[in-house]
Amino acid sequence: MEEKLIAPCGMNCSLCIAYQFWEKDLNKKGFHRKYCPGCIPRGENCTYMANQCELLGKGKVRFCFECEVFPCKRLKALDKRYRTKYHMSMIDNLEFIKGHGIERFLVKEEEKWRCPECEEFICAHNGLCLNCNIEKLQLNKKYRWNDY
């Protein structure tokens, strides 16, 4: 896991389905999904927040917790969706990074999201290891955490 894959909003891009599809080039297996190399690597700062936040849009902060209005209304709404659907919290991620540093966060994330079978990372958007369980996604392209 790399620091550059932690977006300013606290999203761990290495767990994102668009990143994992890009990394593994999974459209070759019959999918038609958008690819993404991550917010920071593609120069977006933060895909979901930058157009609403001047500090993020202009790259003036590395993480949202550096802002005086953290957590803002938009981040709270995004966080609620991710807590509910994807078993993760951007705000919790940012609080951990703020309190313990990015290196400890990366270690924690690796432990939490590593597939016990193959050591790849589980996708936060569907709860699958896209290395071990790609056939589940091929059978149900809209597979989500609660489908099993």
Side-chain angles (χ1 to χ4, degrees), residues 60-123:
K60 292 183 177 182
V61 294
R62 172 61 179 96
F63 293 109
C64 288
F65 66 73
E66 297 169 45
C67 179
E68 64 185 42
V69 295
F70 169 78
C72 67
K73 188 186 300 185
R74 187 162 167 91
L75 181 59
K76 286 178 184 176
L78 184 64
D79 185 73
K80 182 179 180 182
R81 188 175 84 213
Y82 270 73
R83 282 180 190 267
T84 304
K85 290 181 152 189
Y86 307 126
H87 304 256
M88 65 168 290
S89 166
M90 277 100 159
I91 293 173
D92 286 353
N93 288 353
L94 289 167
E95 299 268 355
F96 189 92
I97 294 167
K98 183 178 180 180
H100 302 285
I102 191 71
E103 294 303 320
R104 282 188 61 194
F105 175 74
L106 294 172
V107 169
K108 180 178 82 76
E109 287 289 280
E110 285 190 22
E111 292 170 359
K112 178 179 178 181
W113 295 98
R114 185 148 324 264
C115 172
E117 303 296 320
C118 73
E119 301 290 309
E120 292 287 324
F121 294 115
I122 293 167
C123 175

Side-chain angles (χ1 to χ4, degrees), residues 7-63:
C9 65
M11 175 63 188
N12 182 342
C13 292
S14 60
L15 308 176
C16 176
I17 196 164
Y19 175 80
Q20 289 192 10
F21 264 70
W22 171 78
E23 182 184 47
K24 296 169 178 34
D25 197 15
L26 291 177
N27 283 346
K28 288 182 178 178
K29 295 192 176 200
F31 295 97
H32 304 286
R33 294 198 68 102
K34 183 179 172 185
Y35 285 0
C36 179
C39 291
I40 299 295
R42 73 182 202 179
E44 294 289 326
N45 289 335
C46 191
T47 300
Y48 297 102
M49 307 287 287
N51 62 347
Q52 301 291 318
C53 175
E54 184 179 336
L55 293 176
L56 282 177
K58 293 184 178 181
K60 292 183 177 182
V61 294
R62 172 61 179 96
F63 293 109

